Amino acid sequence: MNLDLLFLIVDRLLIESHNRPLNSTEKLILLGIWQYKTYKQMAVEAGYSPGYFTNVVAPELFGRLSKGIGQRVNKKNCRALLESYATTQTASQKRPLRQNLAEPLPDVNQNTLPCYPSGSVPLDSPFYLERSLLEEEIYQEIGKPGALIRIKAPREMGKTSLLLRVLDYANRQGYHTISLNCEQVEQAILSDLNQLLRWLCANITRQLQLQPMLDEYWDEDMGNKISCTLYLQEYLLESINTPLVLALDEVNYIFEHSQVAKDFLPLLRSWYEEAKRLPIWQKLRLLVVHSTEIYVPLELNQSPFNVGLPIQLDCFTQQEVQQLAQRYKLDWVDGEEARQLMAMVEGHPALVHLALYHLSRKQITVSQLLENAPTEGGIYSHHLQCHWATLQEQPELAQAFDTVLNTNETVSFDPILTHKLSSMGLIKLSGGQVSVGCELYRQFFTRRSSNKRVANIRGRIPE
């Protein structure tokens, strides 16, 4: 069966059963199954960790499909069951399928139900909570020649949603905008300065719809950084008449390659400094977005992280949670429900949105949601399983987090581990103190770690 048609049938099934169609990673899983690939092959080709596909994406997908079809779905029988189901649906006159693949998905009460919160909040969404003071500060800064803006926050705190609005503002000013996500860059490129700089220039060139001229400017005798700088200055910036906003998202992925970071990050700083003496560099406005503090040692006068405008995204306040609940049409009058939710997730934006979405569907109460929240059957199961899979793949990271879970005293361990846990949102850093990110994480990971220790002990006891 044609895979495009199959995806349409499965989308309809999942919308009817879960109000959410296939996401991009789930489509990769199905495509890989049709191509008889292992989870490892699927993950490596797509740039994900194998454990994420094996332990998180596939189990959740099969669970949703099982509920929708009414039969237990797994990797071995997935293809046969879906093809049988699709054939039945195609033959049925009760559910006519779209003949035109460009035709939109059926309306699922779009006017009354909010969309399932996943990833960044769309520009036209009423469920985006404005950070008015920060946004206005950024808009003013981006209008300044040679501006550099640094946005920092753990993952899923709203950085990309904010970035969308900054780029939209810049577009409305008539600026050129380029957005590049370092998370999407292959490791082979991130670990090689020459390839990284050529990747950067090639992507900017493509998005500006200019002819690539890299080989004409790249000179081994001058070196990669000078070649890249000249390409930007003499070709790209000379070719445009309005400012260029260059947004580099998830720059922390470069931190993991310390030698490359020691060359690349000072290069960003040098472009910022060039704007003070060369008018052409004033066209460039840099947006650097990252999830952790910089943990690569740099000279103070070379770091881009101590110049420009710093922006720190924090968790929602109780008042903001209450305000967002109103947008989800929840009748929270006295603030008690908001307080209870804050006690569990501490205003974590992604977790708050997910809770309010489920509550808005009137199928679960606040007390039921919070009781099941730190369990495998709760609404946060996918989010928690993702973090668990990451920790299992990095034992040193898991051990460090376990230390935080099991002590009330100040703990100190490798700065890189601290920054990674902080970027995941699993820990909070305040005045030298390290603590668990929220009660949800404390309860879930304490129980998971305890169960794992018990299982290990039992495994060592002879029967």
Side-chain angles (χ1 to χ4, degrees), residues 101-298:
L101 296 182
E103 185 182 337
L105 286 167
D107 186 11
V108 190
N109 296 325
Q110 295 287 345
N111 295 326
T112 58
L113 289 178
C115 294
Y116 185 88
S118 178
S120 57
V121 183
L123 283 173
D124 59 351
S125 172
F127 303 104
Y128 176 75
L129 194 61
E130 297 81 2
R131 302 174 187 257
S132 302
L133 295 178
L134 286 182
E135 290 173 29
E136 185 59 34
E137 191 174 11
I138 293 172
Y139 297 158
Q140 291 181 7
E141 190 71 17
I142 211 168
K144 299 177 182 178
L148 170 62
I149 301 167
R150 299 177 281 115
I151 301 175
K152 180 174 76 72
R155 295 170 193 164
E156 299 187 296
M157 290 288 289
K159 298 188 302 298
T160 305
S161 298
L162 173 61
L163 187 59
L164 283 176
R165 282 148 183 83
V166 174
L167 294 174
D168 178 64
Y169 171 82
N171 280 323
R172 286 187 277 110
Q173 307 311 304
Y175 297 172
H176 296 283
T177 58
I178 307 292
S179 182
L180 302 175
N181 191 328
C182 296
E183 185 179 10
Q184 298 173 348
V185 186
E186 298 169 16
Q187 290 296 313
I189 293 176
L190 285 176
S191 61
D192 185 293
L193 180 66
N194 180 53
Q195 289 193 56
L196 178 61
L197 295 181
R198 289 181 69 93
W199 170 87
L200 178 70
C201 291
N203 275 276
I204 298 174
T205 304
R206 182 180 181 84
Q207 292 193 38
L208 288 176
Q209 298 182 333
L210 296 172
Q211 283 294 114
M213 302 279 287
L214 273 73
D215 291 337
E216 287 80 354
Y217 282 86
W218 234 257
D219 189 321
E220 290 184 3
D221 293 331
M222 289 192 298
N224 302 320
K225 293 196 291 184
I226 294 296
S227 297
C228 177
T229 299
L230 290 176
Y231 186 82
L232 277 171
Q233 177 181 321
E234 297 181 2
Y235 180 46
L236 297 181
L237 294 178
E238 282 285 2
S239 299
I240 58 177
N241 297 318
T242 57
L244 167 64
V245 177
L246 174 58
L248 299 176
D249 200 0
E250 298 291 357
V251 171
N252 42 282
Y253 277 84
I254 298 177
F255 299 170
E256 298 179 15
H257 305 273
S258 59
Q259 192 52 57
V260 172
K262 288 178 182 178
D263 285 318
F264 180 76
L265 298 175
L267 184 61
L268 298 182
R269 168 71 177 260
S270 73
W271 296 343
Y272 169 76
E273 298 293 350
E274 284 290 272
K276 298 176 181 178
R277 68 183 192 88
L278 294 177
I280 192 168
W281 282 99
Q282 294 179 3
K283 293 182 184 179
L284 181 65
R285 318 291 161 85
L286 280 170
L287 275 168
V288 179
V289 185
H290 54 113
S291 300
T292 72
E293 295 285 359
I294 171 69
Y295 50 77
V296 179
L298 296 175

Side-chain angles (χ1 to χ4, degrees), residues 58-75:
E60 181 179 351
L61 171 62
F62 295 146
R64 294 170 64 209
L65 291 174
S66 298
K67 182 176 180 180
I69 293 177
Q71 299 184 63
R72 184 178 176 82
V73 180
N74 56 41
K75 188 171 187 286

